[in-house]
Amino acid sequence: MTTQSSGQCEVSWFSALCDDDYEFLGQPDPALASSWEHCRNIVLAAEKGGFDNILLPSGYQLGLDTTAFAAAIAALTKRIRLLMAVRIGESWPPQLARQIATLDQITGGRMTVNIISSDMPGEKLASAPRYARTLEVMQILKALLNGEHLNHQGEHYKIEIDPPRMKTVSGKCPPLYFGGLSEDARDAAAQGCDVYLMWPDTMPAVREIIADMTARAAKYGRTLKFGYRAHVIVRETETEARAYASRLLSKLDAETGDAIRAKSLDSTSVGVLRQAELRAAAGDEGFVEDNLWTGIGRARSGCGAAIVGDPDQVLAKLEAYKAEGIEAFILSGYPHAAEADLFSRHVLPRLRHGPLTL
């Protein structure tokens, strides 16, 4: 089958900076632990495979520092964009703006930014003020990286400052990707981000979220792009794909899975709770709808489901999301380098894809 997709989408992969790479879920493997060499190799494999962008995740307790990694990998890549995750609670916005501009210069204009509404490590801010602070940061970044004089007098930041001399290649703020399901998160996204990210969900729920966020953004005179973060298991046959999904969980016990999820700083968020609801609603084999398998979430917090099937089925699932309005996919699989190769051979050539433009 050689059917090509209609409508362009951005297809990104994932580099496991936060100790999230396994052959068997829940079974740490020293060869797959986050290290400069391992995570570098994932990025280089994704670039070679033709992916448009790569998410560089961030976690305080686990793995590598994302900004330092982005600076190093920027000089080793030539085409792939870098979607650098930044934890808002750990950054002073003007400093972050200068870091982003510098990295964008190093990459020749390939930076994109994933905003994470994090706390300062060791502190806990309630949802409403935390997301209000995140919105302020997005507004500050956009002003400074657009080259504007900043006079921001908000609840969390009171800053009057000129933009840094270091500017992005375009002279504009790179696209800001951001996600969250709570009311506070949705309202912050509607006002501040460019690409609203969602975790795996059923097709009716995806449709509802896109409609809701489109309406919310319109109230602020804005429009949003939509992205979808999911794992993927593609094999030549559906039987092989399902067998591999089962193999991933073959050494996981419930207690280990519970401990992994509880360790995450976002383990009680609305989005994580929704992933748990999907697992509870799934059938005996873990599928909550055609080709959407929730077993991944038994061993990780956050994005907890995978698109599982043969190349035609995976392509059809992605096309169905595109038909609902998804324009960017952030995919991953275990182990990440091997699964990137499989997706790049079986599915990516059949997708019309390229870097997302605003």
Side-chain angles (χ1 to χ4, degrees), residues 17-171:
L17 270 64
C18 301
D19 295 331
D20 182 37
D21 205 2
Y22 301 95
E23 181 178 357
F24 298 96
L25 290 177
Q27 297 292 310
D29 183 340
L32 299 177
S34 294
S35 67
W36 158 245
E37 293 82 5
H38 180 60
C39 295
R40 173 201 64 195
N41 291 345
I42 294 172
V43 177
L44 296 180
E47 181 168 63
K48 181 180 179 181
F51 289 90
D52 306 305
N53 203 342
I54 187 153
L55 175 58
L56 307 179
S58 178
Y60 170 69
Q61 293 177 315
L62 301 173
L64 304 174
D65 178 79
T66 308
T67 305
F69 181 88
I73 202 67
L76 298 182
T77 52
K78 295 180 172 58
R79 183 195 55 78
I80 197 167
R81 285 184 167 189
L82 304 181
L83 179 52
M84 181 179 73
V86 295
R87 302 181 65 80
I88 293 307
E90 300 172 18
S91 301
W92 186 58
Q95 178 190 33
L96 178 58
R98 187 176 61 176
Q99 290 172 332
I100 292 169
T102 301
L103 288 166
D104 195 70
Q105 288 287 334
I106 295 170
T107 63
R110 291 184 284 121
M111 288 303 297
T112 55
V113 180
N114 178 201
I115 298 290
I116 300 175
S117 184
S118 71
D119 288 304
M120 182 71 75
E123 297 181 358
K124 188 71 175 176
L125 197 62
S127 174
R130 179 164 51 80
Y131 280 108
R133 180 177 64 184
T134 301
L135 174 58
E136 287 189 33
V137 172
M138 288 192 281
Q139 293 168 336
I140 291 168
L141 288 177
K142 286 192 172 185
L144 292 176
L145 290 171
N146 285 337
E148 302 167 5
H149 175 80
L150 176 72
N151 185 3
H152 181 90
Q153 304 299 319
E155 178 184 353
H156 298 275
Y157 297 98
K158 300 186 186 306
I159 305 171
E160 183 168 4
I161 194 172
D162 286 329
R165 183 189 67 79
M166 183 59 63
K167 302 185 185 306
T168 62
V169 170
S170 69

Side-chain angles (χ1 to χ4, degrees), residues 20-349:
D20 182 37
D21 205 2
Y22 301 95
E23 181 178 357
F24 298 96
L25 290 177
Q27 297 292 310
D29 183 340
L32 299 177
S34 294
S35 67
W36 158 245
E37 293 82 5
H38 180 60
C39 295
R40 173 201 64 195
N41 291 345
I42 294 172
V43 177
L44 296 180
E47 181 168 63
K48 181 180 179 181
F51 289 90
D52 306 305
N53 203 342
I54 187 153
L55 175 58
L56 307 179
S58 178
Y60 170 69
Q61 293 177 315
L62 301 173
L64 304 174
D65 178 79
T66 308
T67 305
F69 181 88
I73 202 67
L76 298 182
T77 52
K78 295 180 172 58
R79 183 195 55 78
I80 197 167
R81 285 184 167 189
L82 304 181
L83 179 52
M84 181 179 73
V86 295
R87 302 181 65 80
I88 293 307
E90 300 172 18
S91 301
W92 186 58
Q95 178 190 33
L96 178 58
R98 187 176 61 176
Q99 290 172 332
I100 292 169
T102 301
L103 288 166
D104 195 70
Q105 288 287 334
I106 295 170
T107 63
R110 291 184 284 121
M111 288 303 297
T112 55
V113 180
N114 178 201
I115 298 290
I116 300 175
S117 184
S118 71
D119 288 304
M120 182 71 75
E123 297 181 358
K124 188 71 175 176
L125 197 62
S127 174
R130 179 164 51 80
Y131 280 108
R133 180 177 64 184
T134 301
L135 174 58
E136 287 189 33
V137 172
M138 288 192 281
Q139 293 168 336
I140 291 168
L141 288 177
K142 286 192 172 185
L144 292 176
L145 290 171
N146 285 337
E148 302 167 5
H149 175 80
L150 176 72
N151 185 3
H152 181 90
Q153 304 299 319
E155 178 184 353
H156 298 275
Y157 297 98
K158 300 186 186 306
I159 305 171
E160 183 168 4
I161 194 172
D162 286 329
R165 183 189 67 79
M166 183 59 63
K167 302 185 185 306
T168 62
V169 170
S170 69
K172 299 294 184 181
C173 182
L176 301 182
Y177 295 58
F178 174 78
L181 277 182
S182 70
E183 287 294 309
D184 298 325
R186 292 187 190 213
D187 202 51
Q191 296 180 71
C193 77
D194 302 301
V195 184
Y196 179 78
L197 294 176
M198 62 189 80
W199 284 336
D201 214 320
T202 60
M203 202 63 71
V206 169
R207 190 174 302 126
E208 181 278 326
I209 292 168
I210 290 175
D212 176 68
M213 291 305 304
T214 298
R216 287 177 190 251
K219 291 180 182 178
Y220 297 103
R222 306 186 70 242
T223 58
L224 297 172
K225 302 282 189 180
F226 292 95
Y228 193 80
R229 165 88 181 96
H231 305 280
V232 63
I233 299 173
V234 60
R235 295 294 186 273
E236 291 186 3
T237 68
E238 182 181 15
T239 299
E240 290 175 291
R242 284 177 171 248
Y244 189 78
S246 297
R247 181 180 183 273
L248 276 178
L249 292 179
S250 63
K251 297 186 179 182
L252 179 74
D253 60 75
E255 184 176 340
T256 300
D258 291 343
I260 292 171
R261 293 195 303 275
K263 185 167 56 176
S264 174
L265 295 178
D266 66 356
S267 60
T268 60
S269 73
V270 174
V272 169
L273 295 177
R274 175 56 183 162
Q275 296 296 289
E277 290 176 358
L278 291 175
R279 289 196 302 278
D284 291 342
E285 295 184 0
F287 286 84
V288 71
E289 68 177 12
D290 288 347
N291 303 109
L292 188 62
W293 180 64
T294 64
I296 296 283
R298 289 176 54 190
R300 78 186 306 276
S301 186
C303 175
I307 302 167
V308 177
D310 64 32
D312 288 347
Q313 290 171 320
V314 172
L315 179 64
K317 195 72 168 175
L318 296 175
E319 294 289 1
Y321 293 129
K322 285 174 59 182
E324 296 296 339
I326 299 294
E327 296 182 64
F329 295 98
I330 303 174
L331 305 174
S332 57
Y334 297 100
H336 293 295
E339 293 298 311
D341 177 66
L342 285 163
F343 186 88
S344 70
R345 288 189 287 112
H346 287 300
V347 182
L348 192 58

